[in-house]
Every structure is written in structure tokens, then in C-alpha cells.
Amino acid sequence: MSAHQQGTELDLSWISKIQVNKPAVLRRAEQIQARRPVKKEWQAAWLLKAVTCIDLTTLSGDDTASNIQRLCYKAKYPIREDLLKALNMHDKGITTAAVCVYPARVCDAVRALKAAGCDIPVASVATGFPAAQTHLKTRLEEIRLAVEDGATEIDVVINRTLVLTGQWKGSDFIKTSTGKETVNATFPVAIVMLRAIRDFFWKTGNKVGFKPAGGIRSAKDSLVWLSLIKEELGDEWMKPELFRIGASTLLADIERQIYHHVTGRYAAYHDLPMS
């Protein structure tokens, strides 16, 4: 809910006065990456927390109903059950936060999740992803069709012309990038975004979510992102309602690390065939 919806005028004049201390941001980014984010004995618990914040994503030109079905199965069963049993977490209903697909594949995802008896949300990139350089009427229609097909979350690609000319809009979440750029989720940019979220919360009382996306592939990366969220915004943001990680291959590495934590050895390719 935006400040405007709560009956207070949204005053964004303070945004134009913000200055970023770039050297300090870069030092903070180096610091967060250099240290071990989580003690070894807590790593499995933190990795499972990361799983519950993943928007499990496929955004390929060759997506088909069958690979969407596999994605949805993996979203419902992200970690092998015997590994969860070894951690006494098999009955906690651990799933990914959502699956994220192109608008044309929303129907496939909704159908697959329904068949699996699962209520994981379907998110869709809409509004002319990834460049947003299509007519407004077309972008709005794309959102409408995705929602009609069963998407409950939309990753809107903003028209960057509006940003570059200072025409800011409100949102429930802000996302680092489409994941399709040469440079995507970086820690310096994330720090600036997280502090903007914090400032906005202090000024308005509204919590805005955060989603890094693009290039987040390792379990270690996910721990660093969680640590950054905890330190910059606090425990309240460490939940899927306010934090998501957009990723396609990250889950496979998290499952490999949990396998190693449980068994003491690294998984062979056939040990985790769904990864």
C-alpha cells in the first residue's frame, strides 16, 4: 500500500536532494563480501531460508510446457526429502517463494502447480520485458492477460525514460535489474537501493520489498544477500513478503551445499537429478 492510498500525499521532493557517497558504498560492498556471512553451524538453516525467498525463474526463448512443469515441481520440492528429514525440516512445507515465467507461459505454470496441489504464486515479467520499449497500451494489456491467466505477481519493467527524467512512481517491490543486462545485481547498487527503502520506511511507514536478480548462482552469494538484508533492513525484511531472489540456477547449488552439509561429501550429478 502506498502512502497516497493511506491518505497522505506522497512527497518525493527529498529524493532530488539525495547524494550518494560512492567510496563509502564501495567500501561497505567490499566488507560484506570479504567476510564469512554465516557461522558454519547455521549455514543449512540460512540456506533453507534463502530457498523460501527464491523466485524460481525461467525466461528462455525456448520455454515449453514441459520445462515449466519441471520448474514448478522443483519449486514445490526444492530440496530432496531425505536431506530435509536429516535436518528435521521435512514437515515445514519448504517451497520456493514463487515461480517466475513469461506471460505466455503463465497458464502452463498455473496448471502445473494446480496439478501438484500447490498454492505457490506465479509471477510473470510483463510490460515489454526486458526493455519496456513498447507502447503503454500494449504493456498494460500484457499485465491484464497475465493476471487473467492466473499470475498473482507482476515484475513490471519500468520505462527508464521516466526515471531518467525524475518521474518517480511507487511500487511494492524494487528490483535491481531484469537479469538480462550485461551487469545485473551488484552489491554497491543494492546498498543504495536498500538504504532508499530504509529512508522511505522512516519517512512514510511503508515497507517496500527488494529483489536482486541476475547472476546470483552460488549458495555463498545467497548467504551474502541475506546478511546484507539483515544488516541494512533488519529481520523483518528477511521473509518472502519483502525479499525475493530472482534466480534459475541458484537452487541447484544450494541443494548441493545442503547435501554436503548432511552427508559430508559432494553430490555426484545423478544424486540430484532435478537440479
Side-chain angles (χ1 to χ4, degrees):
M1 182 181 283
S2 71
H4 186 72
Q5 286 173 301
Q6 289 180 328
T8 57
E9 199 60 43
L10 186 60
D11 174 23
L12 295 179
S13 59
W14 56 276
I15 287 178
S16 61
K17 301 184 184 81
I18 289 174
Q19 291 185 316
V20 174
N21 182 340
K22 193 173 177 182
V25 168
L26 292 174
R27 276 197 305 275
R28 173 75 174 115
E30 285 171 12
Q31 173 203 30
I32 194 88
Q33 292 173 86
R35 65 170 196 259
R36 181 191 282 270
V38 183
K39 286 185 178 175
K40 200 164 185 181
E41 60 267 31
W42 296 109
Q43 276 190 11
W46 275 60
L47 288 173
L48 290 178
K49 166 62 79 175
V51 168
T52 67
C53 294
I54 290 175
D55 281 354
L56 193 59
T57 302
T58 182
L59 296 170
S60 297
D62 57 357
D63 282 337
T64 62
S66 61
N67 81 293
I68 299 294
Q69 189 175 8
R70 287 196 300 276
L71 184 87
C72 291
Y73 182 89
K74 193 63 184 168
K76 185 179 181 184
Y77 303 106
I79 306 294
R80 232 171 60 176
E81 192 179 9
D82 60 319
L83 301 176
L84 290 175
K85 277 183 177 169
L87 297 168
N88 201 27
M89 294 294 286
H90 58 287
D91 56 353
K92 298 294 189 288
I94 288 175
T95 68
T96 66
V99 296
C100 184
V101 296
Y102 275 120
R105 302 262 70 99
V106 168
C107 271
D108 295 333
V110 168
R111 197 179 300 118
L113 289 167
K114 191 175 179 183
C118 182
D119 59 0
I120 296 171
V122 175
S124 183
V125 294
T127 62
F129 179 90
Q133 294 289 354
T134 49
H135 291 295
L136 177 61
K137 186 177 178 183
T138 307
R139 286 183 280 141
L140 291 172
E141 180 69 1
E142 199 172 31
I143 291 172
R144 191 187 67 75
L145 290 170
V147 171
E148 201 175 84
D149 285 345
T152 54
E153 300 175 2
I154 301 292
D155 280 23
V156 173
V157 186
I158 56 172
N159 183 322
R160 277 160 277 187
T161 304
L162 296 175
V163 174
L164 295 170
T165 53
Q167 299 176 68
W168 295 99
K169 306 293 176 187
S171 65
D172 300 307
F173 262 73
I174 55 175
K175 184 174 174 180
T176 56
S177 46
T178 61
K180 297 287 188 181
E181 304 294 333
T182 313
V183 178
N184 291 289
T186 68
F187 291 109
V189 168
I191 289 162
V192 174
M193 292 174 75
L194 292 173
R195 290 182 182 178
I197 288 171
R198 189 170 65 192
D199 287 351
F200 188 73
F201 174 61
W202 285 346
K203 286 177 186 293
T204 68
N206 291 327
K207 295 188 182 88
V208 172
F210 176 70
K211 178 177 174 177
I216 304 172
R217 296 187 180 91
S218 74
K220 187 188 174 191
D221 283 345
S222 70
L223 296 178
V224 177
W225 282 105
L226 278 172
S227 295
L228 186 61
I229 295 294
K230 184 178 173 70
E231 291 177 20
E232 294 289 336
L233 296 175
D235 291 346
E236 230 174 321
W237 260 265
M238 289 179 66
K239 56 187 179 184
E241 291 79 14
L242 288 169
F243 177 57
R244 300 288 181 86
I245 301 172
S248 49
T249 59
L250 169 64
L251 181 56
D253 193 53
I254 289 178
E255 191 172 26
R256 277 194 291 271
Q257 295 306 320
I258 289 174
Y259 183 96
H260 181 261
H261 179 87
V262 169
T263 66
R265 61 187 177 85
Y266 285 103
Y269 181 75
H270 60 267
D271 287 323
L272 302 170
M274 284 296 293
S275 293

